[in-house]
Structures are given as structure tokens and as C-alpha cells.
Amino acid sequence: MSKSVRGYQGRHFIVLLILLLVSVSCTPVTAQPATTAPLTAVRVTAVPYLSFAPLYIAQAEGYFAEQGLAVEFVRFQRNSDSLPALLQGQVDVDAIFTIGLLNAIQQGQPARVVANKGVLTQNGCPADAFVKRAGLAGTPSDFSADTLRKLKFGVDPTWIDSYFLQQWLAQYGVDLSEVATVYLPDPAARVEALRQGALDIAFLSEPWITRAQQSGAATVLMPAADIMPGYPLGILSFGPNLLNAKDDRGQRFLRAYLQGIRQYNEGKTARNVEIVTEFSKLDPDLVQAVCWPVFAADGQLDATAIAGYSAWAVHQGLADQALTPAEFWEPRYLNELGK
Amino acid sequence: MLLTVLAGWEIATRSGWLSALFFPPPTLIGVTLGRLAFTAAFWSALGITVVRLLAGVALGASSGLLLGWLMGAWRPVRLILTPVVTALHPLPKLALFPLFLILLGLGEASKIALVALTAFFPMLLNTLAGVEQIERTYWEVAANYGVTGQRLLWRVIVPGSLPLALVGLRLAVNSGLILTVAVEMLAAQQGLGAQIWLAWQTLRLQELYAVLVVISGLGFATHQLLNRLTWYLLPWQTQENEHE
């Protein structure tokens, strides 16, 4: 090989080497994605019921992730088990409302109601109602006080359905203590009890109202919204983790939650039905057929109505002291979102 | 020992080391128990639980006792029923409660029936074991004297199986008490179990603990009663124990 050829090849090689070194220095050794802040974990009590749909929609559509939150849904076998977990910081948000929450707040525990989760609305399609067994004739206007005193009611003695029953019976001059009540926690057992005639009237929520009607066991007697229109049937509460948080994850959580409500309020769209079917494991036809609960778009709630429930709980011996709205309602998270 | 634990608990709660909400101080539990003792609702709840327990155990234990004697004394019955018993025994009885509700309704029948089923198996198995451990000599002597039927039952089977049958009764009562409270927690308006459920729902845990104390007391009382029954029915056994 001649010197000129070797020289040309040498210079060519050096140029290539320089180009290679320059390209390597401009490119990271290992290609890394654009750095993103890690998502903040938030644990939320949730069960696969229709009344939790906006939460599941927000999760499925990535609204929580957009707010930098990694939301984990935590399920408990019994509703009353979620509150201790909230108070001990094992979950951050509780979406189940019990009298225990009001008692815990009254005892100075770090928990507050921060948003609405369902409001009773008279829209001709009740998601929560008192139903009557198939063989029980008459409408509410046909009933007399004496008739009601002879009936058996399936209600939870510590929950809102007893409160609604009390309000309804009061229209007839009847007190809750004058009627027979039976507590069956399982809605399937309530429907079966209605079918067998062991119960005359029971409080049900969807999809059990539709199931009871489709099976011929019961029909809607009195929508809950007709008894107490506008009542906040569900709430979201924050525990110490979010109440004491120095960052704004509480507001971000609610922002995503409200986005979930906005999409939910679009109605039974194909996407919403798909999400509800997925998390509830209900048949899509049933999801289409049932009445969906109503959610206030701004997440606000009537705290005075809950204060009335608190006073009732004291009267029933379920609580020691009635709470005022200022003692349990913390609107600042929603208020800051509205700014 | 117990006083030391209670004192430690009291100090831990009062000083804030332990959550007073979930572990109320023993003194508060005592005060709550005292307050409950003056309410008619508490005695009604206690009475209802005791009635359910007694009714269920009477039904279940008597059935188990009779079937245990039958299976123990008669081989064909034992061969036929042993696979059935061993298959049914491990079933979690509480899981069967919804079926009992459907079959027997919302009243007391479903609850008492489930308690009876719970009491049945320990009684059956221990009685069966009691019959099986009767020495062969006794059977042979009875056969030689032509003792059969009721005489065989009262002269050989009953006294021979009684010690283990009484152990079975003790287990039946304990299991029955546990299940009675559990069933009441699930689906009863009244009873100690319903009180526990209510205390948990309303997060007034001092009442929950107070009821647990009462249930412990009930367990202790039944234990003492069964000791007396054993002393009465097996005087030779208690005398042997005293001499040891």
C-alpha cells in the first residue's frame, strides 16, 4: 500500500473517530426519559358500588395521575372498619359515612368531611328508595298510622335509612320506636326477605332496587329523595394524613375527583358504562337499566342536613353530642379549588 | 398478673402512649360496665344471648350425644355416617348463616339452629370417642350376661363414655357461645353480639370492651357450671383428682 493511500486512510479514520467521540459525548450513555416527579400515594376507601363511580372514573381516566397522585383503592369487608383505618392514617380518604365518624370528630379525632358523594335528587329515577314487597298493596297516601305500625321495615339502625324512615313516619305521626325494624346487612337477604314476606318494606340502593323489581320481589314505594330532597347521601372525609399535610395533595385529590364527577354527570355514555361495568362487575345491561345516583358538580354539600342527622343520632342514643357544621365540615379544600 | 396488665394499660392510655379511642382506659371500661348494668337494655341483651346459647346447645349437644352413642355402639351406623360427619364438620358454620336465614327465616329459629349445628359436632365426636374407648372387657361381660338395649346403654355405654362426653359438652358450650355472639353481630337487633356491632358502628369502644368483659364472664360462669356438673356426674373422677 502506498504512503498516500495509508495517509488518506489514516486521516479518514481519525475524522471518523472524532465524529464518533463527539456523537458519544452528546448522547447520554444510557438514554433516559425526561425526568418526572414521582406520584404521591393516596389511599382511598372505596367499594365497587355505583355511588363510588366518580372515583373509579377519575382513576380509569387518569385524572388522579394528572394531578400527580397515585391513588390506591382500599376495600374493607365492613363499612365500619374503614374509619379506624382513616383515623390511624392507614388510609388517607374515607368515602364511607357512618355515625362513628361523627362520634370520632366529637371526641377530637383528626377527621373532617370535605366533599359530597351523592345527593338525593328528585329526578324520577331513584337510586335510593324504600321498596315494598310485591303483595303489599297501596301507595304512601293509602297508608295510615295504624297500618304502618303493623309493618316490618328492613333498615340499618345506625345508618341513614333509619333516619329517613323516621322522617317519613313522622308525616303519619308515627315514631320509629313504634314500628318493627329488622336489620339485614346483605341487600340480597333483604330482597329475599321481601320475597318471602318476612319484610314488608326495606331500604335499598341500586342495583338492588332494579334487581328486586325485575325479580318481582318488590316495587318502589317512596324514593329517599322525596323524603329529604337535597340530602347528602354520601361524603368524602379526610384523615390526619391529608388534614395535616403541608402540600396541596388534598386539593389535587378533590380536583381530580370533581373531574370524575363532571364526566360521570355526562350520563350513561359508552365510556362511563364501560368503566362502571368494569369496576362493579355488573352486567352491562343492568348498568344501563339502573338509576344512577346524582352528584353535585361542585362537590359542595348541605352541612346543615348532616347536622340534623347528628342531632337525630343523639336522640337515638347512637351519639353523645350533636355536632354543628363548623365542627365536622371542612370546606377550604373545595373553596381553594374554586379560586 | 392481670392487675399489672390493667395498670400498665391505664398508664399507657392516660399518658397518650396508647390510643384512648381504640384502647380506652380500664377504669373507663369499668365505669361503662357499671353504667350498662343499670340499664334494662343490657340485661335484656344478656338474657337473649343466654337463651339462644342454651337453646342451641341443648338442641345440638343432645343430638350429638345420641348420635355419638349410636355410632359408637353400632358399627354399621358408624361406617355409614363417619364419612358424612368428617365432610360436614370442617364447614365454617358462620358461612352457612345466609342459607339458614333463607330456610328458617329472620327470627330466632335460624340463629338457634346455627348454634345447635356448632354444638353438635364436638359433642358427637367426643361422645363417639368416649364409647370407642370403653374397654372391650365391659362389652364382653355385658354380652355374657345378655345385656342389650337400654340396659346396655345405661350400664355400659353412658358411664363409660361420660367423661369424654362431658369434655364434648364443654367444647360445645364454648363453640356455641362464640357462634351466638358472631351471629348476633351479623344479623340481630338484640343480644351481646348486637351490642358489640353497635359499639363498633358508633365507635364507642368503651362499650365494646365492656361487653367483651361480660362475655368473658359468661364463659367463666359456664365453665364453673360444667365443673359442678362433672363433679356431680363423675364423683369418682373428681375424687381421684383430689387424691393426686
Side-chain angles (χ1 to χ4, degrees), chain B:
Chain B
M1 172 73 177
L2 180 62
L3 286 175
T4 307
V5 170
L6 292 175
W9 178 353
E10 182 83 21
I11 292 168
T13 305
R14 295 284 180 192
S15 58
W17 295 341
L18 210 54
S19 165
L21 176 67
F22 298 110
F23 301 98
T27 48
L28 179 59
I29 296 170
V31 165
T32 304
L33 187 55
R35 178 174 54 80
L36 288 176
F38 282 93
T39 62
F42 167 75
W43 292 104
S44 172
L46 176 61
I48 287 170
T49 298
V50 170
V51 165
R52 285 174 180 148
L53 173 65
L54 289 177
V57 169
L59 183 61
S62 58
S63 307
L65 183 70
L66 291 173
L67 192 59
W69 283 336
L70 194 63
M71 286 176 66
W74 201 10
R75 194 164 177 272
V77 175
R78 189 164 66 251
L79 286 178
I80 293 169
L81 289 183
T82 296
V84 177
V85 170
T86 50
L88 293 179
H89 181 215
L91 291 180
K93 309 303 180 289
L94 206 54
L96 302 175
F97 188 50
L99 295 175
F100 277 66
L101 279 178
I102 289 170
L103 290 171
L104 298 172
L106 303 175
E108 293 302 316
S110 52
K111 301 173 183 68
I112 291 172
L114 197 65
V115 175
L117 183 65
T118 303
F120 172 78
F121 285 99
M123 194 68 186
L124 164 66
L125 295 172
N126 279 275
T127 303
L128 174 58
V131 175
E132 286 177 332
Q133 59 83 48
I134 295 174
E135 286 184 29
R136 192 182 177 81
T137 311
Y138 292 101
W139 297 103
E140 290 172 349
V141 168
N144 286 339
Y145 281 93
V147 175
T148 57
Q150 282 197 23
R151 290 184 68 195
L152 180 66
L153 176 68
W154 293 111
R155 294 300 182 100
V156 177
I157 297 174
V158 170
S161 63
L162 204 51
L164 280 179
L166 285 173
V167 172
L169 181 60
R170 198 180 293 273
L171 293 172
V173 169
N174 283 345
S175 306
L177 177 58
I178 291 168
L179 197 87
T180 302
V181 173
V183 162
E184 290 174 346
M185 286 175 68
L186 276 185
Q189 302 275 84
Q190 294 169 305
L192 295 178
Q195 296 290 310
I196 290 176
W197 174 83
L198 191 63
W200 191 238
Q201 285 286 103
T202 55
L203 214 61
R204 293 195 285 194
L205 298 188
Q206 63 273 17
E207 292 185 10
L208 185 150
Y209 283 97
V211 174
L212 289 179
V213 169
V214 172
I215 293 172
S216 296
L218 194 54
F220 180 76
T222 53
H223 175 80
Q224 294 298 105
L225 274 172
L226 289 170
N227 277 351
R228 295 297 268 174
L229 183 65
T230 304
W231 177 84
Y232 177 73
L233 291 175
L234 303 174
W236 66 89
Q237 198 177 61
T238 48
Q239 282 170 9
E240 281 173 13
N241 291 340
E242 283 166 9
H243 288 314
E244 284 171 2

Side-chain angles (χ1 to χ4, degrees), chain A:
Chain A
M1 188 181 289
S2 66
K3 277 188 183 178
S4 61
V5 171
R6 284 203 297 272
Y8 173 77
Q9 287 179 334
R11 283 198 296 276
H12 192 60
F13 173 74
I14 289 170
V15 168
L16 283 175
L17 184 60
I18 291 170
L19 284 174
L20 180 63
L21 286 172
V22 167
S23 66
V24 165
S25 66
C26 289
T27 307
V29 175
T30 53
Q32 294 200 14
T35 50
T36 55
L39 298 178
T40 306
V42 176
R43 305 190 83 204
V44 182
T45 305
V47 286
Y49 297 164
L50 275 170
S51 56
F52 289 74
L55 285 168
Y56 282 93
I57 288 174
Q59 180 81 309
E61 300 294 59
Y63 298 148
F64 290 124
E66 284 175 8
Q67 297 297 323
L69 303 175
V71 166
E72 177 192 351
F73 290 145
V74 179
R75 185 174 176 180
F76 293 89
Q77 275 303 107
R78 297 180 308 172
N79 290 345
S80 53
D81 293 342
S82 66
L83 179 59
L86 179 76
L87 298 175
Q88 296 204 292
Q90 292 162 6
V91 296
D92 305 300
V93 184
D94 194 1
I96 295 170
F97 184 29
T98 63
I99 283 181
L101 173 65
L102 300 179
N103 282 338
I105 294 173
Q106 185 265 319
Q107 291 173 45
Q109 293 296 315
R112 289 294 183 274
V113 176
V114 296
N116 196 325
K117 189 179 74 67
V119 59
L120 293 180
T121 304
Q122 291 169 300
N123 59 0
C125 193
D128 306 275
F130 285 100
V131 301
K132 64 180 176 107
R133 61 176 171 82
L136 183 65
T139 63
S141 57
D142 298 325
F143 291 148
S144 67
D146 287 337
T147 306
L148 290 170
R149 288 190 183 100
K150 293 174 190 160
L151 300 179
K152 266 195 193 162
F153 295 84
V155 290
D156 181 336
T158 67
W159 204 60
I160 209 77
D161 43 355
S162 282
Y163 179 50
F164 291 157
L165 181 59
Q166 171 95 66
Q167 306 304 310
W168 181 39
L169 291 174
Q171 298 173 16
Y172 300 85
V174 178
D175 187 73
L176 188 62
S177 59
E178 296 179 75
V179 300
T181 59
V182 176
Y183 173 50
L184 288 173
D186 183 6
R190 285 192 204 182
V191 173
E192 188 56 32
L194 287 164
R195 186 197 316 282
Q196 293 184 2
L199 285 180
D200 298 303
I201 295 175
F203 187 83
L204 291 176
S205 299
E206 289 285 32
W208 291 101
I209 295 174
T210 298
R211 281 179 169 151
Q213 290 182 123
Q214 288 178 345
S215 69
T219 54
V220 173
L221 175 67
M222 172 65 79
D226 287 355
I227 301 172
M228 300 199 76
Y231 191 90
L233 198 59
I235 54 101
L236 291 185
S237 54
F238 282 177
N241 293 348
L242 292 186
L243 291 176
N244 300 331
K246 292 185 171 37
D247 58 19
D248 62 345
R249 73 183 94 148
Q251 286 91 327
R252 286 186 279 142
F253 175 84
L254 288 180
R255 185 175 293 121
Y257 171 60
L258 294 184
Q259 277 184 280
I261 290 180
R262 269 197 294 280
Q263 179 170 327
Y264 172 89
N265 283 346
E266 292 172 4
K268 297 177 186 176
T269 61
R271 179 57 181 154
N272 282 350
V273 170
E274 180 188 357
I275 295 172
V276 172
T277 302
E278 171 61 30
F279 79 75
S280 68
K281 307 299 181 213
L282 294 174
D283 185 84
D285 291 337
L286 183 61
V287 171
Q288 286 278 10
V290 300
C291 294
W292 287 22
V294 175
F295 282 79
D298 59 1
Q300 296 285 349
L301 63 78
D302 182 0
T304 309
I306 295 182
Y309 174 58
S310 174
W312 171 85
V314 172
H315 180 71
Q316 293 294 113
L318 300 171
D320 297 320
Q321 188 180 315
L323 296 179
T324 63
E327 289 172 302
F328 62 82
W329 169 231
E330 178 54 83
R332 67 180 165 94
Y333 297 93
L334 286 177
N335 291 346
E336 284 174 18
L337 288 181
K339 289 179 184 168

